[in-house]
Amino acid sequence: MGIERILYHHTEPAKINYKTFNAVGVRNKIFLTEPSFTFKGSNLSAYSTGAFQKNKFDVTGKLDFAGSGFTTNQKGISFDTDSSDIDTDKGNNESELIQPEVLQSIVNLIDLNYGGKNYNELADTFHNKNMRFSDTGESVGVDLSQESIDMITKRRFNSIKGADNFSSEIKQSFFFFDFSSGDFKLESGDVVENATINLKILSHFGERTISSGIVQGASSLFGPLRINPRVFQVIRITKEFDRTLCDSEVENPEARFGNGSFEFFDTYYGTSGADVDENVVSEFTISEPMKKGDVLKIDITQHLQDAIDNRSGKLRFAIRPKMVLYSREACFSGIQDGFKLNLDPDQGGSGVGNHYFEFERGVREDEQPRISVNLRLKADSTGLRRARFQRTKKVQL
Protein backbone atom coordinates (compact mmCIF):
# COMPACT_ATOMS: atom_id res chain seq x y z
CA MET A 1 0.00 0.00 0.00
CA GLY A 2 1.75 3.15 -1.21
CA ILE A 3 1.80 6.25 0.98
CA GLU A 4 3.02 9.78 0.58
CA ARG A 5 5.68 10.61 3.13
CA ILE A 6 5.08 13.77 5.11
CA LEU A 7 7.84 16.04 6.39
CA TYR A 8 7.11 17.44 9.84
CA HIS A 9 9.12 20.62 10.07
CA HIS A 10 8.74 21.18 13.79
CA THR A 11 9.02 17.68 15.21
CA GLU A 12 9.80 14.05 14.51
CA PRO A 13 6.72 11.95 15.31
CA ALA A 14 8.95 9.05 16.36
CA LYS A 15 10.29 11.23 19.18
CA ILE A 16 6.95 12.36 20.62
CA ASN A 17 6.74 11.12 24.21
CA TYR A 18 3.56 9.29 25.13
CA LYS A 19 2.51 8.14 28.58
CA THR A 20 0.00 5.55 29.66
CA PHE A 21 -2.19 5.65 32.73
CA ASN A 22 -5.98 5.54 32.51
CA ALA A 23 -6.93 5.28 28.82
CA VAL A 24 -7.51 2.34 26.47
CA GLY A 25 -8.14 2.30 22.71
CA VAL A 26 -7.02 3.95 19.48
CA ARG A 27 -6.63 7.74 19.31
CA ASN A 28 -6.38 9.23 15.82
CA LYS A 29 -4.14 12.21 15.12
CA ILE A 30 -5.19 13.35 11.63
CA PHE A 31 -8.61 14.86 10.85
CA LEU A 32 -10.40 15.84 7.66
CA THR A 33 -12.06 19.20 8.22
CA GLU A 34 -14.53 18.83 5.32
CA PRO A 35 -15.58 16.09 2.87
CA SER A 36 -14.57 17.98 -0.28
CA PHE A 37 -11.65 17.14 -2.57
CA THR A 38 -10.13 18.99 -5.54
CA PHE A 39 -8.07 17.56 -8.36
CA LYS A 40 -6.26 20.11 -10.55
CA GLY A 41 -5.85 18.23 -13.82
CA SER A 42 -5.04 21.49 -15.58
CA ASN A 43 -1.83 21.71 -13.54
CA LEU A 44 -0.52 18.30 -14.54
CA SER A 45 2.74 18.05 -16.39
CA ALA A 46 2.76 16.38 -19.79
CA TYR A 47 4.17 13.21 -18.22
CA SER A 48 1.57 13.11 -15.43
CA THR A 49 -1.25 13.81 -17.86
CA GLY A 50 -0.38 10.61 -19.67
CA ALA A 51 -0.87 8.67 -16.45
CA PHE A 52 -4.40 10.02 -16.24
CA GLN A 53 -5.13 9.33 -19.90
CA LYS A 54 -7.38 12.14 -21.23
CA ASN A 55 -8.25 13.73 -17.87
CA LYS A 56 -6.68 17.15 -18.27
CA PHE A 57 -9.51 18.96 -16.54
CA ASP A 58 -10.16 19.93 -12.91
CA VAL A 59 -12.28 17.57 -10.82
CA THR A 60 -14.11 18.36 -7.60
CA GLY A 61 -16.26 16.12 -5.48
CA LYS A 62 -17.15 14.86 -2.04
CA LEU A 63 -16.19 11.89 0.03
CA ASP A 64 -19.76 10.71 0.46
CA PHE A 65 -19.22 9.05 3.83
CA ALA A 66 -22.83 9.44 4.94
CA GLY A 67 -23.93 6.69 2.58
CA SER A 68 -20.91 4.47 2.66
CA GLY A 69 -21.21 2.76 6.03
CA PHE A 70 -18.06 1.44 7.68
CA THR A 71 -15.96 -0.93 5.60
CA THR A 72 -18.81 -2.66 3.77
CA ASN A 73 -18.87 -0.11 0.91
CA GLN A 74 -15.41 1.08 0.04
CA LYS A 75 -16.36 3.67 -2.59
CA GLY A 76 -18.29 6.51 -0.90
CA ILE A 77 -17.22 9.05 -3.54
CA SER A 78 -19.35 11.50 -5.54
CA PHE A 79 -18.26 14.00 -8.21
CA ASP A 80 -19.51 17.56 -8.55
CA THR A 81 -18.15 17.97 -12.08
CA ASP A 82 -18.82 16.07 -15.28
CA SER A 83 -17.41 12.62 -14.62
CA SER A 84 -17.95 11.19 -18.09
CA ASP A 85 -14.19 10.94 -18.61
CA ILE A 86 -13.57 9.44 -15.16
CA ASP A 87 -13.48 5.68 -14.78
CA THR A 88 -15.97 5.33 -11.92
CA ASP A 89 -16.32 1.57 -12.32
CA LYS A 90 -13.12 0.46 -10.68
CA GLY A 91 -12.44 -3.18 -9.91
CA ASN A 92 -12.14 -4.89 -6.54
CA ASN A 93 -8.36 -4.95 -6.31
CA GLU A 94 -7.04 -2.79 -3.49
CA SER A 95 -5.14 -0.55 -5.90
CA GLU A 96 -8.28 0.06 -7.99
CA LEU A 97 -10.78 0.99 -5.28
CA ILE A 98 -10.29 4.71 -5.73
CA GLN A 99 -9.93 6.70 -8.95
CA PRO A 100 -6.46 8.22 -9.53
CA GLU A 101 -8.09 11.65 -9.65
CA VAL A 102 -9.24 11.19 -6.06
CA LEU A 103 -5.98 9.67 -4.83
CA GLN A 104 -4.07 12.67 -6.15
CA SER A 105 -6.64 15.25 -5.11
CA ILE A 106 -6.15 17.84 -2.38
CA VAL A 107 -8.03 17.73 0.94
CA ASN A 108 -8.04 19.99 4.00
CA LEU A 109 -6.97 18.44 7.29
CA ILE A 110 -5.50 18.95 10.75
CA ASP A 111 -2.46 16.88 11.74
CA LEU A 112 -1.84 16.86 15.49
CA ASN A 113 1.67 15.50 14.96
CA TYR A 114 2.70 19.09 14.30
CA GLY A 115 2.24 19.70 18.03
CA GLY A 116 5.67 18.18 18.60
CA LYS A 117 6.75 18.31 22.24
CA ASN A 118 3.33 19.82 23.07
CA TYR A 119 1.52 16.96 21.35
CA ASN A 120 -0.03 15.41 24.47
CA GLU A 121 -1.58 18.65 25.72
CA LEU A 122 -2.70 19.60 22.21
CA ALA A 123 -4.24 16.18 21.51
CA ASP A 124 -5.98 16.04 24.91
CA THR A 125 -7.59 19.44 24.37
CA PHE A 126 -8.53 18.73 20.75
CA HIS A 127 -10.18 15.38 21.52
CA ASN A 128 -12.00 16.67 24.58
CA LYS A 129 -13.53 19.48 22.53
CA ASN A 130 -14.33 17.55 19.35
CA MET A 131 -14.37 13.75 19.77
CA ARG A 132 -15.68 13.20 23.31
CA PHE A 133 -19.25 12.17 24.05
CA SER A 134 -21.15 14.18 26.65
CA ASP A 135 -21.29 12.85 30.21
CA THR A 136 -24.67 11.30 29.31
CA GLY A 137 -23.28 9.56 26.22
CA GLU A 138 -24.70 11.98 23.64
CA SER A 139 -23.05 13.38 20.51
CA VAL A 140 -21.61 16.89 20.77
CA GLY A 141 -20.75 19.39 18.06
CA VAL A 142 -17.32 20.33 16.73
CA ASP A 143 -15.71 23.25 18.54
CA LEU A 144 -12.44 24.16 16.85
CA SER A 145 -10.21 26.59 18.71
CA GLN A 146 -8.31 29.26 16.82
CA GLU A 147 -5.17 27.22 17.40
CA SER A 148 -6.78 24.26 15.63
CA ILE A 149 -8.06 26.43 12.78
CA ASP A 150 -4.55 27.77 12.27
CA MET A 151 -3.34 24.17 11.88
CA ILE A 152 -5.58 23.40 8.88
CA THR A 153 -3.37 22.45 5.96
CA LYS A 154 -3.72 20.97 2.48
CA ARG A 155 -2.48 17.51 1.62
CA ARG A 156 -2.96 14.87 -1.02
CA PHE A 157 -5.71 12.36 -0.31
CA ASN A 158 -3.24 9.54 -0.96
CA SER A 159 -1.37 10.46 2.24
CA ILE A 160 -4.36 9.54 4.45
CA LYS A 161 -5.56 6.51 2.51
CA GLY A 162 -3.33 4.22 4.57
CA ALA A 163 -2.93 4.08 8.34
CA ASP A 164 0.83 4.70 8.08
CA ASN A 165 2.51 8.05 8.78
CA PHE A 166 1.78 8.12 12.52
CA SER A 167 -1.96 8.58 11.97
CA SER A 168 -2.94 7.14 15.36
CA GLU A 169 -1.59 6.12 18.74
CA ILE A 170 -2.33 3.05 20.82
CA LYS A 171 -3.62 3.65 24.33
CA GLN A 172 -3.18 0.78 26.76
CA SER A 173 -3.13 0.68 30.54
CA PHE A 174 -1.01 -1.60 32.73
CA PHE A 175 -2.13 -3.15 36.03
CA PHE A 176 -0.23 -4.78 38.87
CA PHE A 177 -1.93 -6.32 41.90
CA ASP A 178 -0.02 -8.17 44.63
CA PHE A 179 -2.13 -10.80 46.41
CA SER A 180 0.85 -12.64 47.91
CA SER A 181 0.30 -11.27 51.44
CA GLY A 182 -2.20 -9.50 53.67
CA ASP A 183 -5.68 -10.37 54.96
CA PHE A 184 -6.84 -11.45 51.53
CA LYS A 185 -3.75 -13.33 50.47
CA LEU A 186 -4.59 -15.78 47.71
CA GLU A 187 -3.04 -19.23 48.03
CA SER A 188 -2.33 -22.17 45.77
CA GLY A 189 -5.43 -24.37 45.71
CA ASP A 190 -7.89 -21.47 45.75
CA VAL A 191 -10.29 -21.60 42.80
CA VAL A 192 -11.49 -18.44 41.10
CA GLU A 193 -15.07 -19.02 39.95
CA ASN A 194 -15.43 -15.52 38.55
CA ALA A 195 -13.37 -12.32 38.64
CA THR A 196 -13.81 -8.90 37.05
CA ILE A 197 -11.86 -5.67 37.13
CA ASN A 198 -14.29 -2.78 37.44
CA LEU A 199 -13.44 0.42 35.58
CA LYS A 200 -15.50 3.51 36.40
CA ILE A 201 -15.78 5.46 33.16
CA LEU A 202 -14.64 9.08 33.02
CA SER A 203 -15.10 9.73 29.30
CA HIS A 204 -15.65 7.99 25.97
CA PHE A 205 -14.32 9.13 22.59
CA GLY A 206 -15.67 8.14 19.19
CA GLU A 207 -15.64 8.70 15.45
CA ARG A 208 -17.59 11.07 13.26
CA THR A 209 -18.89 10.44 9.73
CA ILE A 210 -16.23 8.65 7.72
CA SER A 211 -15.71 5.47 5.72
CA SER A 212 -12.70 3.69 7.09
CA GLY A 213 -12.74 1.44 4.05
CA ILE A 214 -11.24 4.19 1.90
CA VAL A 215 -9.72 6.39 4.61
CA GLN A 216 -7.55 4.37 6.97
CA GLY A 217 -5.37 7.24 8.14
CA ALA A 218 -7.75 9.95 9.36
CA SER A 219 -10.92 10.79 11.25
CA SER A 220 -13.38 13.50 10.25
CA LEU A 221 -14.73 16.65 11.86
CA PHE A 222 -18.18 16.50 10.26
CA GLY A 223 -21.29 14.56 11.19
CA PRO A 224 -22.47 13.28 14.58
CA LEU A 225 -20.28 11.32 16.96
CA ARG A 226 -20.75 7.56 16.94
CA ILE A 227 -19.02 4.44 18.20
CA ASN A 228 -17.53 2.01 15.72
CA PRO A 229 -17.50 -1.44 17.37
CA ARG A 230 -14.04 -2.32 18.64
CA VAL A 231 -12.61 -5.44 20.28
CA PHE A 232 -10.36 -4.98 23.33
CA GLN A 233 -8.07 -7.42 25.11
CA VAL A 234 -6.84 -8.14 28.60
CA ILE A 235 -3.49 -9.89 28.20
CA ARG A 236 -0.88 -11.07 30.69
CA ILE A 237 2.38 -9.14 30.59
CA THR A 238 5.43 -11.30 31.28
CA LYS A 239 7.80 -8.50 32.30
CA GLU A 240 7.88 -8.05 36.06
CA PHE A 241 7.08 -4.34 36.08
CA ASP A 242 6.13 -2.48 39.26
CA ARG A 243 3.64 0.26 40.07
CA THR A 244 5.79 3.00 38.52
CA LEU A 245 4.64 1.85 35.07
CA CYS A 246 1.00 1.69 36.17
CA ASP A 247 1.19 5.16 37.70
CA SER A 248 2.62 6.83 34.58
CA GLU A 249 5.96 7.49 36.26
CA VAL A 250 7.95 5.88 33.44
CA GLU A 251 8.95 8.37 30.75
CA ASN A 252 7.74 7.34 27.31
CA PRO A 253 6.99 3.66 28.16
CA GLU A 254 5.92 2.71 24.63
CA ALA A 255 9.31 3.59 23.17
CA ARG A 256 11.49 1.99 25.84
CA PHE A 257 12.27 -1.38 24.36
CA GLY A 258 15.40 -3.03 23.03
CA ASN A 259 18.30 -0.68 23.76
CA GLY A 260 20.60 -3.71 23.85
CA SER A 261 20.01 -4.47 27.53
CA PHE A 262 16.31 -5.40 27.33
CA GLU A 263 15.79 -3.68 30.68
CA PHE A 264 12.19 -2.96 29.79
CA PHE A 265 10.11 -4.34 26.90
CA ASP A 266 11.62 -6.47 24.16
CA THR A 267 8.94 -5.38 21.67
CA TYR A 268 7.06 -2.19 20.85
CA TYR A 269 5.14 -1.09 23.97
CA GLY A 270 5.24 -4.65 25.34
CA THR A 271 2.63 -5.74 22.79
CA SER A 272 3.97 -8.97 21.35
CA GLY A 273 6.59 -11.71 21.42
CA ALA A 274 8.08 -12.61 24.78
CA ASP A 275 6.50 -9.57 26.45
CA VAL A 276 3.01 -11.10 26.46
CA ASP A 277 1.43 -14.46 27.26
CA GLU A 278 -1.17 -15.12 24.58
CA ASN A 279 -2.39 -18.17 26.52
CA VAL A 280 -3.75 -15.87 29.25
CA VAL A 281 -6.06 -13.45 27.47
CA SER A 282 -9.71 -12.37 27.50
CA GLU A 283 -11.60 -10.13 25.09
CA PHE A 284 -14.59 -7.79 25.14
CA THR A 285 -16.31 -5.57 22.58
CA ILE A 286 -17.67 -2.04 23.02
CA SER A 287 -20.34 -1.03 20.49
CA GLU A 288 -22.24 1.80 22.19
CA PRO A 289 -21.30 5.11 23.86
CA MET A 290 -20.65 4.86 27.59
CA LYS A 291 -21.75 7.46 30.11
CA LYS A 292 -19.61 9.07 32.77
CA GLY A 293 -19.93 6.96 35.90
CA ASP A 294 -20.78 3.73 34.07
CA VAL A 295 -18.88 0.75 35.46
CA LEU A 296 -17.23 -1.39 32.81
CA LYS A 297 -16.83 -4.91 34.24
CA ILE A 298 -14.12 -6.86 32.43
CA ASP A 299 -13.57 -10.58 32.91
CA ILE A 300 -10.15 -11.48 34.36
CA THR A 301 -11.02 -14.92 35.79
CA GLN A 302 -8.28 -16.72 33.88
CA HIS A 303 -5.73 -14.02 34.72
CA LEU A 304 -6.33 -14.19 38.46
CA GLN A 305 -6.31 -18.00 38.50
CA ASP A 306 -3.03 -17.99 36.61
CA ALA A 307 -1.56 -15.53 39.12
CA ILE A 308 -2.55 -17.82 42.01
CA ASP A 309 -1.30 -21.01 40.37
CA ASN A 310 1.87 -19.77 38.70
CA ARG A 311 2.88 -16.26 39.83
CA SER A 312 2.81 -16.43 43.65
CA GLY A 313 -0.34 -14.29 43.68
CA LYS A 314 1.16 -11.43 41.63
CA LEU A 315 -1.17 -10.29 38.87
CA ARG A 316 0.14 -8.29 35.91
CA PHE A 317 -1.78 -7.47 32.75
CA ALA A 318 -2.56 -4.76 30.22
CA ILE A 319 -5.90 -3.69 28.75
CA ARG A 320 -5.50 -2.69 25.13
CA PRO A 321 -7.22 -2.59 21.72
CA LYS A 322 -6.84 -5.88 19.85
CA MET A 323 -4.57 -5.61 16.79
CA VAL A 324 -2.81 -7.97 14.38
CA LEU A 325 0.16 -5.59 14.26
CA TYR A 326 1.35 -3.02 16.79
CA SER A 327 3.94 -0.43 15.85
CA ARG A 328 4.63 3.23 16.44
CA GLU A 329 4.07 4.28 12.85
CA ALA A 330 0.90 2.27 12.27
CA CYS A 331 -1.26 -0.40 13.91
CA PHE A 332 -3.68 -2.65 12.06
CA SER A 333 -6.69 -4.63 13.27
CA GLY A 334 -7.09 -7.08 10.40
CA ILE A 335 -5.77 -8.62 7.19
CA GLN A 336 -7.65 -8.70 3.89
CA ASP A 337 -6.29 -10.11 0.62
CA GLY A 338 -2.79 -10.03 2.07
CA PHE A 339 -2.98 -6.35 3.05
CA LYS A 340 -2.81 -5.20 6.67
CA LEU A 341 -5.84 -2.96 7.17
CA ASN A 342 -8.17 -1.69 9.85
CA LEU A 343 -11.38 -3.70 9.55
CA ASP A 344 -14.66 -3.87 11.44
CA PRO A 345 -15.36 -6.99 13.53
CA ASP A 346 -17.98 -8.11 10.99
CA GLN A 347 -15.28 -7.92 8.30
CA GLY A 348 -12.85 -10.17 10.19
CA GLY A 349 -10.98 -7.38 12.01
CA SER A 350 -11.25 -5.94 15.49
CA GLY A 351 -12.27 -2.34 14.78
CA VAL A 352 -11.82 0.84 12.77
CA GLY A 353 -11.52 4.53 13.51
CA ASN A 354 -11.04 6.68 16.57
CA HIS A 355 -12.31 4.87 19.68
CA TYR A 356 -10.95 4.99 23.22
CA PHE A 357 -12.14 5.50 26.79
CA GLU A 358 -10.75 6.90 30.04
CA PHE A 359 -11.47 5.58 33.54
CA GLU A 360 -11.05 6.74 37.13
CA ARG A 361 -7.67 5.93 38.59
CA GLY A 362 -5.40 7.44 41.20
CA VAL A 363 -1.77 6.79 42.04
CA ARG A 364 -2.29 5.38 45.54
CA GLU A 365 -3.00 1.69 46.01
CA ASP A 366 -6.46 2.43 47.40
CA GLU A 367 -7.26 4.52 44.30
CA GLN A 368 -6.85 1.63 41.86
CA PRO A 369 -9.85 0.03 40.10
CA ARG A 370 -11.33 -2.72 42.26
CA ILE A 371 -11.42 -6.42 41.48
CA SER A 372 -14.57 -8.41 42.32
CA VAL A 373 -14.03 -12.12 42.94
CA ASN A 374 -16.20 -15.18 43.53
CA LEU A 375 -13.68 -17.48 45.22
CA ARG A 376 -13.72 -21.09 46.45
CA LEU A 377 -11.03 -21.39 49.09
CA LYS A 378 -8.72 -24.39 49.15
CA ALA A 379 -9.94 -27.33 51.19
CA ASP A 380 -7.43 -27.01 54.06
CA SER A 381 -8.01 -23.28 54.68
CA THR A 382 -8.14 -22.39 58.37
CA GLY A 383 -11.38 -21.38 60.05
CA LEU A 384 -10.04 -17.86 60.56
CA ARG A 385 -9.28 -17.51 56.85
CA ARG A 386 -12.71 -18.83 55.88
CA ALA A 387 -14.39 -16.41 58.25
CA ARG A 388 -12.43 -13.49 56.82
CA PHE A 389 -13.45 -14.31 53.25
CA GLN A 390 -17.06 -15.17 54.13
CA ARG A 391 -17.89 -11.72 55.43
CA THR A 392 -19.09 -10.94 51.94
CA LYS A 393 -20.30 -13.19 49.14
CA LYS A 394 -18.15 -11.30 46.66
CA VAL A 395 -14.72 -10.22 47.78
CA GLN A 396 -13.56 -6.76 46.69
CA LEU A 397 -9.79 -6.96 46.37
Side-chain angles (χ1 to χ4, degrees), residues 53-80:
Q53 298 176 347
K54 57 184 175 180
N55 297 342
K56 300 179 182 179
F57 48 83
D58 295 350
V59 176
T60 62
K62 287 185 171 56
L63 302 165
D64 191 16
F65 297 135
S68 61
F70 297 154
T71 56
T72 52
N73 181 338
Q74 295 186 302
K75 296 293 179 66
I77 296 170
S78 62
F79 294 92
D80 299 331

Side-chain angles (χ1 to χ4, degrees), residues 93-155:
N93 293 332
E94 192 277 336
S95 62
E96 297 181 341
L97 285 174
I98 307 173
Q99 294 81 6
E101 292 82 1
V102 180
L103 285 174
Q104 298 302 319
S105 67
I106 301 299
V107 294
N108 292 322
L109 54 79
I110 293 173
D111 187 342
L112 298 181
N113 285 301
Y114 280 103
K117 65 181 181 181
N118 298 319
Y119 166 79
N120 289 293
E121 295 82 358
L122 176 67
D124 288 346
T125 300
F126 184 92
H127 277 262
N128 276 314
K129 290 171 69 71
N130 299 293
M131 309 305 288
R132 179 182 180 273
F133 287 92
S134 71
D135 289 348
T136 56
E138 304 296 325
S139 175
V140 298
V142 172
D143 182 17
L144 290 181
S145 66
Q146 187 59 51
E147 181 182 20
S148 295
I149 293 173
D150 292 341
M151 292 180 67
I152 296 176
T153 187
K154 295 183 183 298
R155 193 175 296 171

Side-chain angles (χ1 to χ4, degrees), residues 175-176 235-237 239-241 314-318:
F175 296 85
F176 172 50
I235 191 163
R236 187 177 86 82
I237 303 297
K239 286 290 187 292
E240 295 186 355
F241 59 85
K314 294 182 179 180
L315 176 63
R316 293 180 175 90
F317 60 85

Side-chain angles (χ1 to χ4, degrees), residues 192 194-198 295 297-301 304 369-375 394-397:
V192 180
N194 175 265
T196 62
I197 184 167
N198 309 312
V295 177
K297 298 183 177 182
I298 304 170
D299 178 46
I300 58 166
T301 304
L304 185 55
R370 309 302 288 177
I371 293 178
S372 299
V373 184
N374 286 332
L375 190 68
K394 181 171 286 190
V395 179
Q396 298 287 329
L397 298 176

Side-chain angles (χ1 to χ4, degrees), residues 211-261:
S211 169
S212 294
I214 61 171
V215 182
Q216 294 272 305
S219 290
S220 80
L221 294 175
F222 40 89
L225 276 174
R226 69 166 189 236
I227 288 297
N228 290 346
R230 182 170 287 282
V231 181
F232 298 85
Q233 280 186 333
V234 185
I235 191 163
R236 187 177 86 82
I237 303 297
T238 61
K239 286 290 187 292
E240 295 186 355
F241 59 85
D242 58 21
R243 286 288 300 281
T244 58
L245 178 61
C246 304
D247 295 344
S248 193
E249 295 176 22
V250 175
E251 184 69 23
N252 204 20
E254 58 130 39
R256 285 191 57 189
F257 62 97
N259 300 324
S261 63

